[in-house]
Amino acid sequence: TYKMADSMILSLTGSGKPARLIHPAGRRRLLIGVAAVIAPILIVLGIMSVRMFGDRSIEPLVANEIVVTSGKGEILQVVLPDSTLVWLHPGSELKYVDDFSKERKLDLKGKAFFQVRHDSGRDFRVSTKDMDVSVLGTEFFCHCYEGSEFSSVTLHSGNVNVNVAGQEKILN
């Protein structure tokens, strides 16, 4: 009987008294039966969750802000996430987020030349202390040093929309 007791598993009820002995073969059949019931439920739930949430992309909670500062006598070339090229002139600062999937927006203090990669679905915007410049694909200079009495935009090619104190002007 010791061999038989060793090959059986003792199942206890909540009261701590032996309820019944379950033979390993019976336990295996019980587990297979439970798995046969649970597996189709899990498959259906998986298919439903893919259909409900499959089209949604996972986005990071916080985009990283990038700050690029050029020193005195230094011109930096910056490649933005959308492949736009920026030449940041001495004593200038450029701020932007590393994710351009929703919008292409930058903050500029100082002077920079922009060679904007065309993207008809998203405007490219440069904000300064005095103005906002919006473009789709063009090349232009933006001059707006701190302490300067004025800011300026010099168009090299394409079109830009300049907004100064609520007044818009299109340069082409």
Side-chain angles (χ1 to χ4, degrees):
T1 60
Y2 287 112
K3 279 186 170 183
M4 183 176 239
D6 288 340
S7 66
M8 295 182 174
I9 299 171
L10 181 63
S11 176
L12 299 175
T13 63
S15 64
K17 298 178 183 177
R20 60 186 176 163
L21 291 176
I22 302 175
H23 192 274
R27 182 173 180 224
R28 196 173 311 126
R29 272 185 260 143
L30 177 64
L31 288 175
I32 290 171
V34 169
V37 170
I38 292 176
I41 294 171
L42 291 176
I43 290 171
V44 168
L45 288 175
I47 291 170
M48 287 174 52
S49 66
V50 167
R51 286 190 177 175
M52 288 174 61
F53 304 111
D55 293 339
R56 297 182 184 173
S57 62
I58 298 172
E59 296 179 18
L61 295 176
V62 178
N64 294 321
E65 183 178 65
I66 309 292
V67 180
V68 181
T69 306
S70 60
K72 291 185 177 183
E74 178 179 49
I75 295 178
L76 296 178
Q77 183 182 24
V78 180
V79 180
L80 298 177
D82 67 344
S83 300
T84 291
L85 298 176
V86 180
W87 285 267
L88 197 59
H89 285 248
S92 299
E93 179 182 272
L94 185 68
K95 288 183 185 179
Y96 60 95
V97 294
D98 65 353
D99 180 14
F100 275 16
S101 62
K102 291 185 179 177
E103 66 178 350
R104 304 184 299 169
K105 184 178 182 324
L106 300 92
D107 293 319
L108 175 67
K109 292 179 185 173
K111 182 178 180 180
F113 178 76
F114 294 88
Q115 190 173 22
V116 180
R117 180 165 186 137
H118 181 75
D119 183 346
S120 61
R122 295 174 297 163
D123 281 347
F124 185 91
R125 292 186 310 165
V126 178
S127 295
T128 71
K129 63 179 178 136
D130 297 325
M131 64 184 165
D132 291 321
V133 181
S134 299
V135 300
L136 289 175
T138 191
E139 296 177 4
F140 65 97
F141 270 106
C142 192
H143 179 274
C144 56
Y145 282 106
E146 289 291 318
S148 176
E149 292 182 21
F150 68 94
S151 297
S152 67
V153 173
T154 306
L155 182 63
H156 186 264
S157 68
N159 299 320
V160 293
N161 182 11
V162 181
N163 184 330
V164 179
Q167 294 181 352
E168 290 191 9
K169 176 79 173 172
I170 297 175
L171 304 176
N172 51 19

